[in-house]
Each structure stands twice: as C-alpha cells, then as structure tokens.
Amino acid sequence: MADTAPRVLVVMGVSGSGKSTLAATVAERLGWEFAEGDDMHPPANVAKMEAGTPLTDEDRWPWLETVADWIRSHLADGTPGVVTCSALKRSYRDVLRTPGVVFVHVAGDPALVEQRMAARAGHFMPTSLLASQLATLEPPQPDEAHLTVSAERSPDEESADVVTRLGLGVDR
C-alpha cells in the first residue's frame, strides 16, 4: 500500500465492472473531485471501440497521458480526486503511478460484467470487446499501491470498503 495517504484514486478494471459508479460514489462520499476517464479518450479511440475494434497500445498511450496529466495536476494543486481508467496492464499503470496515487481494482465475475454491459444504454463499448479486455487484464501486483474490491457488492458497500481500507477519514 502507499506510504502516504492517497490523494488520487484511479478506479480501474474492465469495461462494465462498475468503475464509474464506484468512482462517483467514492468521490461523493469523500467530497473529492471526480473525472470519467472515458471522456478523455480521443474521438478516434471512441469510434474504434464503437465499431467493435479493440484498442492497441499505440491507441492507448495518448489517452493514458491525458489521464496522467489530470492526476499530476490534481497532485500538484493538492486537490484530491478520483478518476476512472481501465489501466488494464501494468505498463499502463506505470504511466499513471506516482506517490499519492492508489489504484482501486473493481474485479468481478465475467458473466456479471457482461450482463451489466448489455444492460447499459448510451455507452460506446460493446459487449463484444469484453473478451479482449479480460485477455489484456494484468491485475495489480503486491508491489503496486492498490486494493481490490468485489463488483458483486452494491456501490455503497464498495465505496464504504474503499474509504475504510484506505483510512480516508470519516464516512459521510
């Protein structure tokens, strides 16, 4: 775990795991700023995913740098925040990793994740890309500042767990 209290949480995992819901709930609970990493994708990435084509590493690097800029800005300003980012590979997390950042990995049964993806409306990520995301996923390792939460629980239960396990103060 991090040596100092986290100032930015990166809520990570495959599409449909509940990253956005958990991140927004944690941010609300803590009174921290929230950012949706999907909104930081360049239009070409969104178009590619809408068409059912998985992103390549080359597609992801500019997006990861945009997310990293958001993180660095918040750390420099002393503004705590919560941002979503799939951060599926360690090399992707390496771009985002810096003191004060903790990854919150939302992990769940693939069937549950697929069910959630199929039920949501208006999102660019089709369920057909879930298999490629699961194949790409490299869960965080013990030497990475992270915690893993179960996608099977409610957002309130998950967010309370995050706040408690990270010692982030009074639960609002």
Side-chain angles (χ1 to χ4, degrees):
M1 193 53 63
D3 293 335
T4 60
R7 301 310 298 158
V8 172
L9 302 179
V10 177
V11 181
M12 60 161 290
V14 298
S15 185
S17 62
K19 293 184 303 291
S20 297
T21 302
L22 175 59
T25 304
V26 168
E28 171 80 19
R29 187 176 293 258
L30 294 172
W32 289 12
E33 188 172 326
F34 167 69
E36 175 57 64
D38 281 346
D39 294 342
M40 298 180 198
H41 271 293
N45 283 8
V46 174
K48 197 170 186 178
M49 288 183 282
E50 281 179 330
T53 304
L55 297 180
T56 65
D57 284 352
E58 292 72 29
D59 296 325
R60 287 186 179 98
W61 296 128
W63 169 63
L64 289 165
E65 280 300 329
T66 300
V67 175
D69 287 345
W70 187 92
I71 292 168
R72 286 189 290 264
S73 171
H74 279 71
L75 291 171
D77 294 346
T79 304
V82 183
V83 63
T84 61
C85 179
S86 54
L88 297 176
K89 290 184 180 181
R90 183 183 184 109
S91 60
Y92 304 162
R93 294 187 297 276
D94 288 346
V95 173
L96 309 175
R97 185 183 343 276
T98 191
V101 173
V102 172
F103 295 92
V104 178
H105 179 204
V106 185
D109 178 71
L112 172 65
V113 173
E114 184 174 16
Q115 178 185 14
R116 286 180 177 174
M117 288 180 78
R120 65 185 180 182
H123 196 279
F124 58 79
M125 180 70 83
T127 57
S128 62
L129 291 181
L130 178 58
S132 71
Q133 289 222 322
L134 291 168
T136 301
L137 177 63
E138 297 171 358
Q141 298 302 301
D143 65 325
E144 297 181 81
H146 81 283
L147 60 89
T148 300
V149 296
S150 171
E152 281 79 19
R153 297 181 299 160
S154 75
D156 284 337
E157 291 171 320
E158 291 174 356
S159 65
D161 186 33
V162 169
V163 168
T164 299
R165 287 172 61 194
L166 292 176
L168 293 174
V170 177
D171 190 353
R172 294 185 182 188

